[in-house]
């Protein structure tokens, strides 16, 4: 017979596994390659907000210059948000050879909105696109990023999100790559199950109609996670829906944090931004954290062998969730970091 504590732990892990299975179903729907419309070439505006990105901006610009999209149907706006390094001069030199690139320099902080949201709003005030696409200065995009993304917009789809994968050459970076992968997978799966949570700002797109429907960044409350705030406003105030893509053609690659201190600040920012999280997101993420907490607190309360079986079941469930995106992005090499990631996942939760 199981003790009361053992039954509680078993029930919690079973609920967690059920949640993972439901999320996996959402991922299968998300990974469908079926687009909503035939390929047309609407005018697209790509916006890159940069601040003190002299180490990364050139790689980003080079990837954007290789997009497979008619140059007369796209504009790429780089917003230099008060950089104090060589970001602006690097961009200026690079874009001389491309007529569809532009640089906007922001000299002072905004008065009504601040930070990155202000930089993006200034760029979009001048944008000509029917669809706005965003990435970050420390990212590089696939050559088919624009062409594949825009095929997924339709009358009801106002926002399209996609994955970002972090480069990983060691355990510290591999932990972060898996962490991002699981966060993107939860967001993608919820969208696939028609309960969208959010999109992530280094790889998301929004139609001009959806953006104007909430008066853009100027029409939403200030948030340090401006991407989440914008998506939430669109979902609450308009009839547009979110679609999340699990597709290697729309994958964006980026760099991990260099120190634990940077990771802590990143998690702090994400935590503050999640204050307005919708109920399905609270349930899914909350169940995961409760499971972590109960398992960690039960080491001296239940037989060790029973506890290790629960750890193993939860471990396999997490791999099952991430197997689909790891296969799609040819990132199964990340499996070698899974045990240290699980330890990190328990502790930071």
């Amino acid at each position: 017979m199981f003790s009361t504590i053992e039954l509680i732990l078993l029930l919690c892990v079973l609920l967690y596994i059920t949640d993972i299975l439901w999320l996996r179903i959402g991922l299968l729907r998300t990974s469908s390659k079926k687009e909503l419309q035939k390929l047309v070439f609407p005018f697209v505006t790509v916006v890159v907000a940069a601040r003190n990105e002299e180490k990364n901006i050139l790689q980003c610009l080079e990837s954007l210059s290789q997009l497979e999209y008619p140059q007369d149907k796209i504009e790429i706006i780089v917003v230099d948000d008060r950089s104090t390094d060589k970001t602006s001069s690097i961009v200026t030199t690079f874009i001389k050879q491309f007529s569809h690139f532009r640089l906007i320099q922001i000299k002072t902080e905004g008065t009504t909105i601040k930070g990155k949201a202000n930089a993006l709003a200034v760029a979009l005030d001048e944008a000509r696109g029917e669809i706005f696409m965003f990435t970050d200065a420390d990212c590089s995009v696939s050559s088919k990023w624009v062409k594949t993304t825009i095929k997924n917009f339709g009358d009801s789809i106002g926002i399209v999100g996609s994955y970002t994968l972090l480069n990983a050459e060691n355990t510290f970076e591999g932990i972060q790559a898996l962490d991002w992968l699981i966060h993107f997978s939860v967001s993608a799966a919820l969208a696939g199950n028609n309960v969208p949570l959010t999109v992530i700002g280094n790889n998301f797109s929004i139609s001009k109609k959806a953006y104007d429907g909430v008066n853009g960044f100027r029409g939403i409350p200030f948030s340090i996670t401006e991407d989440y705030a914008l998506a939430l406003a669109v979902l609450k105030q308009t009839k547009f829906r979110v679609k999340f893509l699990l597709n290697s053609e729309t994958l964006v690659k980026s760099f991990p944090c260099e120190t634990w201190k940077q990771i802590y600040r990143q998690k702090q920012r994400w935590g503050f931004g999640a204050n307005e999280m919708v109920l399905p997101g609270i349930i899914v993420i909350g169940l995961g954290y409760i499971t972590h907490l109960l398992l960690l607190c039960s080491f001296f309360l239940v037989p060790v062998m029973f506890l290790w079986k629960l750890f193993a079941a939860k471990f396999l469930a997490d791999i099952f969730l991430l197997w689909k995106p790891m296969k799609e992005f040819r990132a199964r090499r990340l499996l070698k970091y899974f045990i240290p990631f699980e330890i990190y996942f328990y502790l930071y939760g």
Side-chain angles (χ1 to χ4, degrees), residues 22 36 57 82 88 109 157 167 173 214-215 235 276 282 298 311 346:
W22 180 70
L36 296 182
I57 190 66
R82 297 167 291 143
S88 182
E109 178 69 284
I157 302 297
N167 299 324
E173 296 174 349
V214 295
N215 295 316
L235 289 171
E276 298 296 325
I282 294 174
S298 301
F311 273 109
Y346 276 94

Side-chain angles (χ1 to χ4, degrees), residues 100-282:
H100 61 298
F101 277 76
R102 279 201 292 154
L103 172 65
I104 295 176
Q105 291 180 281
I106 295 178
K107 300 296 185 181
T108 58
E109 178 69 284
T111 54
T112 56
I113 54 175
K114 301 180 183 298
K116 186 178 178 181
N118 177 64
L120 297 175
V122 169
L124 294 180
D125 286 344
E126 302 184 22
R128 297 179 290 148
E130 300 172 50
I131 294 174
F132 305 144
M133 300 186 65
F134 305 90
T135 192
D136 287 346
D138 61 350
C139 295
S140 57
V141 304
S142 158
S143 61
K144 296 182 179 179
W145 179 57
V146 172
K147 185 167 65 175
T148 301
T149 298
I150 59 101
K151 289 190 290 184
N152 288 275
F153 280 92
D155 292 336
S156 63
I157 302 297
I159 295 178
V160 175
S162 295
Y163 276 73
T164 298
L165 184 66
L166 298 184
N167 299 324
E169 301 296 334
N170 54 52
T171 301
F172 180 65
E173 296 174 349
I175 287 172
Q176 294 180 67
L178 287 168
D179 188 21
W180 277 49
L181 200 61
I182 205 164
H183 280 84
F184 274 89
S185 294
V186 169
S187 295
L190 287 172
N193 285 325
N194 295 317
V195 282
L197 175 61
T198 186
V199 289
I200 291 84
N202 53 25
N203 192 0
F204 93 99
S205 311
I206 185 170
S207 68
K208 179 175 172 32
K209 290 181 180 179
Y211 183 80
D212 290 343
V214 295
N215 295 316
F217 288 108
R218 302 188 191 283
I220 61 176
F222 172 75
S223 172
I224 58 176
T225 51
E226 70 294 323
D227 46 358
Y228 178 70
L230 181 63
L232 194 63
V234 170
L235 289 171
K236 285 183 174 180
Q237 299 175 34
T238 76
K239 296 181 179 180
F240 289 108
R241 296 190 295 113
V242 171
K243 184 173 184 180
F244 214 108
L245 307 180
L246 202 174
N247 190 323
S248 59
E249 293 182 351
T250 61
L251 179 68
V252 164
K253 295 184 178 180
S254 188
F255 299 100
C257 296
E258 297 179 354
T259 66
W260 286 108
K261 186 175 182 179
Q262 290 177 354
I263 292 178
Y264 175 75
R265 289 178 176 175
Q266 181 188 80
K267 299 304 177 190
Q268 207 173 30
R269 185 173 65 88
W270 288 4
F272 281 121
N275 283 335
E276 298 296 325
M277 186 178 293
V278 293
L279 182 60
I282 294 174

Side-chain angles (χ1 to χ4, degrees), residues 31-82:
S31 62
S32 171
K33 297 298 191 296
K34 180 181 178 181
E35 289 90 15
L36 296 182
Q37 62 179 20
K38 295 180 179 179
L39 178 59
V40 294
F41 295 104
F43 198 92
V44 174
T45 298
V46 176
V47 180
V48 181
R51 186 176 187 184
N52 294 332
E53 292 284 358
E54 63 180 7
K55 293 193 301 182
N56 303 312
I57 190 66
L58 186 58
Q59 179 176 306
C60 177
L61 296 173
E62 287 174 344
S63 71
L64 290 170
S65 71
Q66 297 170 17
L67 289 170
E68 297 177 11
Y69 205 79
Q71 289 192 8
D72 61 341
K73 291 287 188 176
I74 189 171
E75 63 177 353
I76 298 171
I77 302 176
V78 181
V79 190
D80 180 13
D81 186 13
R82 297 167 291 143

